[in-house]
Amino acid sequence: MADAAAASDIDTPRGPARAHVDGPAQPCALLVLGHGAGGGVDAPDLRAVTDAALELGMRVARVEQPYRVAGRRAPDRAPALDAAWTAAVDALRADAPGVPLVVGGRSSGARVACRTALAVGAAGVLCLAFPVEGRRRRDGTAPPSRLAELDGAGVPALVIQGDRDPFGMPPPGDGRDVVVVRGDHSLRASVPGVRAAARAWLEAIAAPA
């Protein structure tokens, strides 16, 4: 596993985000990852993907949203998350010009990455435990599906999903690969599988031939 990353704050319209950056000074690509709604950037699947990307010579930035930096657990609404993420990705990309950009994250972070992939100029999006279905409302009804966010990414996508994820299973689609591993929404049960799937996809989409 990679050593502790260098952390730095990035100004965004929603307050400072924090980027934990690993990798070489001259990377072959830049991978920017976001965390889940109530979790942090040290989730096992995020660390597994980080290690896979570092093996390929990529630079990896795991970004904490401003609400987490401020010490809050409840996430901001989607427009605020997207604005902060876009500002952070733009700043990180300025430090790695001329290389392919891949974005992604787990759960809520994957949703943000999909919604903004075209806006930030990403070459691909890597989704860990994409929550197709939200929690049921108090009256027992199901909320709207989030599949449109995944469908609308507009760039090649990889989804790594646990076979027992209570938030649903996204189908493969045009330009979208879905790798099913053993486990639930946390993906803790299949960290080696997550790492292997991410490495193979990243090598194909962003690493030099």
Side-chain angles (χ1 to χ4, degrees):
M1 182 173 288
D3 296 334
S8 59
D9 287 356
I10 299 172
D11 289 334
T12 83
R14 305 299 301 180
R18 184 165 296 145
H20 302 256
V21 181
D22 295 279
Q26 296 183 326
C28 67
L30 171 64
L31 172 63
V32 186
L33 297 170
H35 54 76
V41 297
D42 286 322
D45 53 351
L46 290 175
R47 292 308 303 253
V49 171
T50 296
D51 289 340
L54 293 175
E55 290 174 356
L56 297 171
M58 301 173 73
R59 183 182 299 173
V60 185
R62 291 169 291 132
V63 175
E64 289 183 74
Q65 282 274 356
Y67 75 91
R68 292 286 297 178
V69 176
R72 304 192 305 273
R73 286 191 63 83
D76 292 327
R77 293 185 179 275
L81 295 174
D82 293 357
W85 172 259
T86 299
V89 172
D90 287 347
L92 290 162
R93 195 173 194 186
D95 288 334
V99 300
L101 167 68
V102 180
V103 295
R106 67 164 282 105
S107 195
S108 172
R111 295 180 63 196
V112 174
C114 285
R115 291 194 301 260
T116 59
L118 288 176
V120 299
V125 59
L126 195 164
C127 302
L128 302 167
F130 188 94
V132 180
E133 304 164 3
R135 298 184 186 278
R136 286 192 170 270
R137 299 184 174 115
R138 292 181 180 179
D139 63 4
T141 60
S145 169
R146 284 92 169 250
L147 187 58
E149 294 178 347
L150 189 55
D151 289 340
V155 296
L158 171 68
V159 182
I160 304 176
Q161 201 85 351
D163 62 357
R164 300 189 308 278
D165 194 317
F167 299 109
M169 179 65 65
D174 185 21
R176 179 170 72 235
D177 298 324
V178 177
V179 175
V180 180
V181 297
R182 182 172 57 89
D184 55 19
H185 194 63
S186 73
L187 298 177
R188 290 176 182 272
S190 295
V191 168
V194 170
R195 179 172 176 163
R199 191 185 194 283
W201 184 80
L202 287 169
E203 187 169 27
I205 197 169

